[in-house]
Coordinates of all heavy atoms in Angstrom, one line a residue:
E628 N 2.2 11.0 -18.5 CA 2.1 9.7 -18.1 C 2.9 8.8 -18.9 O 3.2 9.1 -20.1 CB 0.6 9.3 -18.3 CG -0.5 9.9 -17.5 CD -1.9 9.5 -17.6 OE1 -2.0 8.5 -18.3 OE2 -2.8 10.2 -17.3
F629 N 3.5 7.8 -18.2 CA 4.3 6.8 -19.0 C 4.3 5.5 -18.2 O 3.9 5.4 -17.0 CB 5.7 7.4 -19.2 CG 6.5 7.8 -17.9 CD1 7.4 6.9 -17.3 CD2 6.4 9.0 -17.4 CE1 8.1 7.3 -16.3 CE2 7.0 9.4 -16.4 CZ 7.9 8.5 -15.7
E630 N 4.8 4.5 -18.8 CA 4.8 3.1 -18.3 C 6.2 2.6 -18.3 O 6.9 2.7 -19.3 CB 3.8 2.2 -19.0 CG 3.6 0.9 -18.5 CD 2.4 0.2 -19.1 OE1 1.6 0.9 -19.8 OE2 2.4 -1.0 -19.2
I631 N 6.6 1.9 -17.2 CA 8.0 1.4 -17.1 C 7.8 -0.2 -17.1 O 7.3 -0.7 -16.1 CB 8.7 1.8 -15.9 CG1 8.9 3.3 -15.8 CG2 10.1 1.1 -15.9 CD1 9.4 3.8 -14.5
P632 N 8.3 -1.0 -18.1 CA 8.2 -2.3 -18.1 C 9.2 -3.0 -17.3 O 10.3 -2.5 -17.3 CB 8.3 -2.8 -19.6 CG 9.0 -1.7 -20.1 CD 8.7 -0.4 -19.5
F633 N 8.9 -4.0 -16.5 CA 10.0 -4.8 -15.7 C 10.1 -6.2 -16.2 O 9.2 -6.9 -16.0 CB 9.6 -4.8 -14.2 CG 9.8 -3.5 -13.5 CD1 8.7 -2.5 -13.6 CD2 10.9 -3.0 -13.0 CE1 8.8 -1.3 -13.0 CE2 11.0 -1.8 -12.4 CZ 10.0 -1.0 -12.4
V634 N 11.2 -6.4 -17.0 CA 11.4 -7.8 -17.5 C 11.7 -8.7 -16.4 O 11.2 -9.8 -16.3 CB 12.6 -7.8 -18.6 CG1 12.8 -9.2 -19.1 CG2 12.1 -6.8 -19.7
L635 N 12.5 -8.3 -15.4 CA 12.8 -9.1 -14.3 C 12.1 -8.4 -12.9 O 11.9 -7.1 -13.0 CB 14.3 -8.9 -14.1 CG 15.2 -9.5 -15.2 CD1 16.7 -9.3 -15.1 CD2 14.9 -11.0 -15.4
G636 N 12.0 -9.2 -12.0 CA 11.4 -8.6 -10.8 C 12.4 -7.7 -10.0 O 13.5 -7.6 -10.2
M637 N 11.8 -7.0 -9.1 CA 12.6 -6.0 -8.3 C 12.0 -6.0 -6.9 O 10.9 -6.0 -6.6 CB 12.4 -4.6 -9.0 CG 13.2 -3.5 -8.4 SD 13.1 -2.2 -9.5 CE 13.9 -1.0 -8.4
S638 N 12.9 -6.1 -5.9 CA 12.4 -6.2 -4.5 C 12.0 -5.0 -4.0 O 11.1 -4.8 -3.2 CB 13.5 -6.8 -3.7 OG 14.7 -5.9 -3.7
S639 N 12.6 -3.8 -4.3 CA 12.2 -2.4 -3.9 C 13.0 -1.4 -4.8 O 13.8 -1.7 -5.4 CB 12.5 -2.3 -2.4 OG 13.9 -2.2 -2.3
G640 N 12.4 0.0 -4.6 CA 13.1 1.0 -5.4 C 12.5 2.3 -4.8 O 11.6 2.3 -4.1
S641 N 13.1 3.3 -5.4 CA 12.8 4.7 -5.1 C 12.7 5.6 -6.2 O 13.4 5.3 -7.3 CB 13.8 5.3 -4.1 OG 14.0 4.7 -2.9
I642 N 11.8 6.5 -6.3 CA 11.7 7.4 -7.4 C 11.8 8.9 -6.8 O 11.1 9.2 -5.8 CB 10.3 7.4 -8.2 CG1 10.2 5.9 -8.8 CG2 10.2 8.4 -9.2 CD1 8.9 5.7 -9.5
L643 N 12.7 9.7 -7.4 CA 12.9 11.1 -6.9 C 12.4 12.0 -8.0 O 12.5 11.8 -9.2 CB 14.3 11.3 -6.8 CG 15.0 10.9 -5.4 CD1 15.2 9.3 -5.6 CD2 16.3 11.4 -5.2
S644 N 11.7 13.0 -7.5 CA 11.2 14.0 -8.4 C 11.4 15.4 -7.8 O 11.6 15.6 -6.6 CB 9.7 13.9 -8.6 OG 8.8 14.2 -7.5
T645 N 11.5 16.4 -8.6 CA 11.7 17.8 -8.1 C 10.6 18.2 -7.2 O 9.4 17.7 -7.4 CB 11.7 18.7 -9.4 OG1 12.7 18.3 -10.3 CG2 12.0 20.2 -8.9
A646 N 11.0 18.9 -6.1 CA 9.9 19.3 -5.2 C 8.8 20.0 -5.9 O 9.0 20.9 -6.8 CB 10.5 20.2 -4.2
G647 N 7.5 19.7 -5.7 CA 6.3 20.3 -6.3 C 5.8 19.4 -7.3 O 4.7 19.6 -7.8
V648 N 6.6 18.5 -7.9 CA 6.1 17.6 -8.9 C 5.6 16.3 -8.2 O 6.4 15.6 -7.6 CB 7.2 17.2 -9.9 CG1 6.7 16.2 -11.0 CG2 7.6 18.5 -10.7
K649 N 4.4 16.0 -8.3 CA 3.8 14.8 -7.7 C 3.9 13.6 -8.7 O 3.5 13.8 -9.8 CB 2.4 15.0 -7.4 CG 1.7 13.9 -6.5 CD 0.3 14.3 -6.0 CE -0.1 13.1 -5.2 NZ -1.4 13.5 -4.6
V650 N 4.2 12.4 -8.2 CA 4.3 11.2 -8.9 C 3.2 10.3 -8.3 O 3.2 10.0 -7.2 CB 5.7 10.5 -8.8 CG1 5.7 9.3 -9.7 CG2 6.7 11.5 -9.4
E651 N 2.4 9.8 -9.2 CA 1.3 8.9 -8.8 C 1.4 7.6 -9.5 O 1.7 7.5 -10.6 CB -0.1 9.5 -9.0 CG -0.4 10.7 -8.4 CD -1.7 11.4 -8.8 OE1 -2.3 10.9 -9.8 OE2 -2.0 12.4 -8.2
G652 N 1.2 6.4 -8.7 CA 1.3 5.1 -9.3 C 0.9 4.2 -8.3 O 1.1 4.3 -7.1
E653 N 0.5 2.9 -8.7 CA 0.1 1.9 -7.7 C 1.4 1.5 -6.9 O 2.4 1.2 -7.5 CB -0.4 0.7 -8.5 CG -1.0 -0.3 -7.7 CD -1.6 -1.5 -8.5 OE1 -2.1 -1.3 -9.6 OE2 -1.6 -2.6 -8.0
G654 N 1.1 1.4 -5.7 CA 2.2 0.9 -4.7 C 3.2 2.1 -4.4 O 4.1 1.7 -3.6
L655 N 3.1 3.2 -4.8 CA 4.0 4.3 -4.5 C 3.7 4.8 -3.1 O 2.6 5.1 -2.8 CB 4.1 5.4 -5.5 CG 4.7 5.1 -6.8 CD1 4.7 6.4 -7.6 CD2 6.3 4.7 -6.6
V656 N 4.7 5.0 -2.2 CA 4.5 5.6 -0.9 C 5.3 6.9 -0.8 O 6.6 6.8 -1.1 CB 5.0 4.7 0.2 CG1 4.8 5.3 1.6 CG2 4.2 3.3 0.1
D657 N 4.7 8.0 -0.6 CA 5.3 9.2 -0.5 C 6.1 9.4 0.8 O 5.6 9.3 1.9 CB 4.3 10.4 -0.5 CG 4.9 11.7 -0.5 OD1 6.1 11.9 -0.3 OD2 4.1 12.7 -0.9
K658 N 7.5 9.5 0.7 CA 8.4 9.5 1.9 C 8.8 11.1 2.3 O 9.7 11.2 3.1 CB 9.6 8.7 1.7 CG 9.3 7.3 1.6 CD 8.8 6.8 2.9 CE 8.6 5.2 2.9 NZ 8.2 4.8 4.3
G659 N 8.2 12.0 1.6 CA 8.4 13.4 1.9 C 9.7 13.9 1.1 O 10.3 13.3 0.3
L660 N 10.0 15.2 1.5 CA 11.1 16.0 0.9 C 12.4 15.5 1.5 O 12.5 15.3 2.6 CB 10.8 17.4 1.0 CG 9.8 18.1 0.0 CD1 9.6 19.5 0.5 CD2 10.1 17.9 -1.4
T661 N 13.5 15.5 0.6 CA 14.8 15.1 1.1 C 15.8 15.8 0.3 O 15.7 16.1 -0.9 CB 15.0 13.5 0.8 OG1 14.1 12.9 1.5 CG2 16.3 13.2 1.4
D662 N 16.8 16.4 1.1 CA 17.9 17.0 0.4 C 19.0 16.0 0.2 O 19.5 15.3 1.1 CB 18.5 18.1 1.4 CG 19.7 18.8 0.9 OD1 20.2 18.4 -0.2 OD2 20.2 19.8 1.5
I663 N 19.3 15.7 -1.0 CA 20.2 14.6 -1.3 C 21.7 15.0 -1.4 O 22.6 14.4 -1.9 CB 19.8 13.8 -2.7 CG1 19.9 14.9 -3.8 CG2 18.5 13.2 -2.6 CD1 19.7 14.1 -5.2
G664 N 21.9 16.2 -0.8 CA 23.2 16.6 -0.7 C 23.6 17.7 -1.6 O 24.8 18.3 -1.6
S665 N 22.9 18.0 -2.8 CA 23.2 19.1 -3.7 C 22.6 20.4 -3.3 O 22.9 21.4 -3.9 CB 22.7 18.6 -5.1 OG 21.3 18.5 -5.1
G666 N 21.9 20.4 -2.2 CA 21.2 21.7 -1.8 C 19.7 21.9 -2.3 O 19.0 22.7 -1.9
A667 N 19.3 21.0 -3.3 CA 18.0 21.1 -3.9 C 17.3 20.0 -3.2 O 17.8 18.9 -2.8 CB 18.1 20.9 -5.3
M668 N 15.9 20.2 -3.0 CA 15.0 19.3 -2.4 C 14.3 18.5 -3.4 O 13.9 18.9 -4.5 CB 14.0 20.1 -1.6 CG 14.7 21.0 -0.5 SD 15.6 20.0 0.7 CE 14.3 19.2 1.6
Y669 N 14.2 17.1 -3.1 CA 13.6 16.2 -4.0 C 12.5 15.5 -3.3 O 12.7 15.1 -2.0 CB 14.6 15.2 -4.6 CG 15.6 15.9 -5.4 CD1 16.8 16.3 -4.9 CD2 15.3 16.1 -6.8 CE1 17.7 16.9 -5.8 CE2 16.3 16.6 -7.5 CZ 17.5 17.1 -7.1 OH 18.4 17.7 -7.8

């Protein structure tokens, strides 16, 4: 568990994690697995 402080506001963003690692947090929407071009799924 960790906390990311935002000194300035942010309109939107994405978090990528290794397939199998679940990220939970308020306001996060799971968009599924994606191959970002390296052959590994995130």
Side-chain angles (χ1 to χ4, degrees):
E628 293 183 18
F629 56 96
E630 189 172 335
I631 303 171
F633 289 89
V634 176
L635 303 172
M637 185 170 171
S638 61
S639 66
S641 299
I642 296 175
L643 282 73
S644 69
T645 305
V648 175
K649 185 175 181 178
V650 179
E651 297 173 352
E653 186 177 330
L655 288 182
V656 177
D657 186 346
K658 293 296 187 174
L660 286 173
T661 301
D662 180 353
I663 62 170
S665 65
M668 300 298 287
Y669 295 93

